[in-house]
Amino acid sequence: MREYQNQALGELSPIQSANLPIVNEDDAPPEVERLFTRFRTDFGRPHVPGILRCFATHPPLLEHMMGLAQSMLFIDGALDRQHKEMIATFVSSRNNCAYCADSHGFFLRTNGGSPELLTAVMACEVDSREFSSQQGALLRFVQKITDDAQSVTRADIELLHVSDWTDLQIAEAIHVTALFACFNRVVNAFGLPSQDLLAGYANGTSPRKNPYRPNSRKKSVTGAAIERAGYSQAPRQ
């Protein structure tokens, strides 16, 4: 799976945003090009993803985001990588962010998530039988943070303790959830389209090389992404 992941990411064509210009790799200013070069070296990818090209409009922010990716988002920590990708995909689907839901749904699959698990996550079905009781408790908490963070109380934390989540794991879940709330809004406001990584994964082919395809807001991200990926929508409980 990791071999396919690297191949698919390597074959992606750079995308363009629909609303606000992002920094192109071929004409980036020197300060940004230095950071882009570091990204390609550290992550082993020939192209810089669109979301980092959004952050490149403010180089110090780009550098901090790259640090977050290396120190928290793309590594095992208090939460393992699969659970982080599950949270990222869930939050991005909840926030109707096509680019992030597709990207992190792809990473969820390549980090061991089953097609059925992915479908349940993208449909935001927190009571799905595809989740263990422990995972369901975590996703209900993630949903509450996403929808109404001010209503979180100590009782929510205690429920997670009952499900054997530690304080460090809960803290990391909060950080990942909140960070993706930010990322989703940045991506949607700039107007980045989905890269259709999931469709390529489901079909055993490379992602579609379409340099610009505006987001469609007529269909929910969840439904559109699942259809493109060839998965069936999980039934409502």
Side-chain angles (χ1 to χ4, degrees):
M1 285 190 179
R2 291 301 176 87
E3 182 179 349
Y4 175 82
Q5 172 183 302
N6 294 336
Q7 177 187 350
L9 293 173
E11 293 178 358
L12 279 176
S13 296
I15 60 173
Q16 296 301 323
S17 52
N19 303 332
L20 187 68
I22 57 180
V23 179
N24 291 321
E25 294 185 70
D26 56 4
D27 60 2
E31 182 180 6
V32 173
E33 177 53 35
R34 174 180 60 82
L35 293 170
F36 281 177
T37 299
R38 188 205 302 176
F39 173 84
R40 297 185 199 103
T41 300
D42 291 351
F43 287 84
R45 291 171 59 175
H47 297 296
V48 177
I51 187 168
L52 289 185
R53 292 167 57 206
C54 294
F55 292 130
T57 57
H58 185 72
L61 180 59
L62 169 62
E63 188 163 21
H64 285 301
M65 290 302 107
M66 288 170 54
L68 271 175
Q70 287 184 299
S71 65
M72 175 184 279
L73 298 175
F74 290 102
I75 63 169
D76 290 333
L79 294 173
D80 63 27
R81 177 75 187 276
Q82 185 182 118
H83 279 94
K84 289 179 182 180
E85 295 299 347
M86 186 169 67
I87 292 172
T89 306
F90 182 95
V91 173
S92 300
S93 298
R94 195 82 180 167
N95 288 331
N96 210 32
C97 181
Y99 175 94
C100 293
D102 173 71
S103 297
H104 291 279
F106 172 78
F107 287 130
L108 177 57
R109 288 286 286 117
T110 58
N111 280 274
S114 69
E116 295 78 16
L117 180 72
L118 173 65
T119 298
V121 171
M122 295 190 78
C124 299
E125 291 287 357
V126 294
D127 296 320
S128 170
R129 296 185 185 90
E130 296 304 324
F131 303 129
S132 67
S133 60
Q134 187 184 37
Q135 289 172 329
L138 184 66
L139 287 179
R140 280 188 287 274
F141 181 65
V142 166
Q143 180 173 298
K144 190 168 187 179
I145 297 171
T146 303
D147 294 350
D148 190 20
Q150 66 182 5
S151 69
V152 173
T153 67
R154 178 63 190 175
D156 295 299
I157 307 302
E158 291 170 353
L159 281 174
L160 290 173
H161 287 162
V162 170
S163 294
D164 292 328
W165 293 108
T166 68
D167 283 345
L168 282 178
Q169 289 173 318
I170 296 167
E172 198 158 85
I174 292 171
H175 296 321
V176 173
T177 301
L179 283 168
F180 273 90
C182 167
F183 300 158
N184 297 159
R185 283 156 178 78
V186 169
V187 163
N188 281 343
F190 271 82
L192 291 186
S194 169
Q195 300 168 100
D196 284 345
L197 281 163
L198 278 174
Y201 188 89
N203 297 327
T205 61
S206 299
R208 300 173 192 176
K209 295 185 177 181
N210 189 352
Y212 169 67
R213 183 180 59 261
N215 280 324
S216 170
R217 308 305 290 176
K218 294 181 180 179
K219 181 179 288 186
S220 72
V221 164
T222 299
I226 290 174
E227 285 179 17
R228 286 198 301 271
Y231 301 117
S232 60
Q233 179 104 20
R236 294 280 171 180
Q237 299 291 317

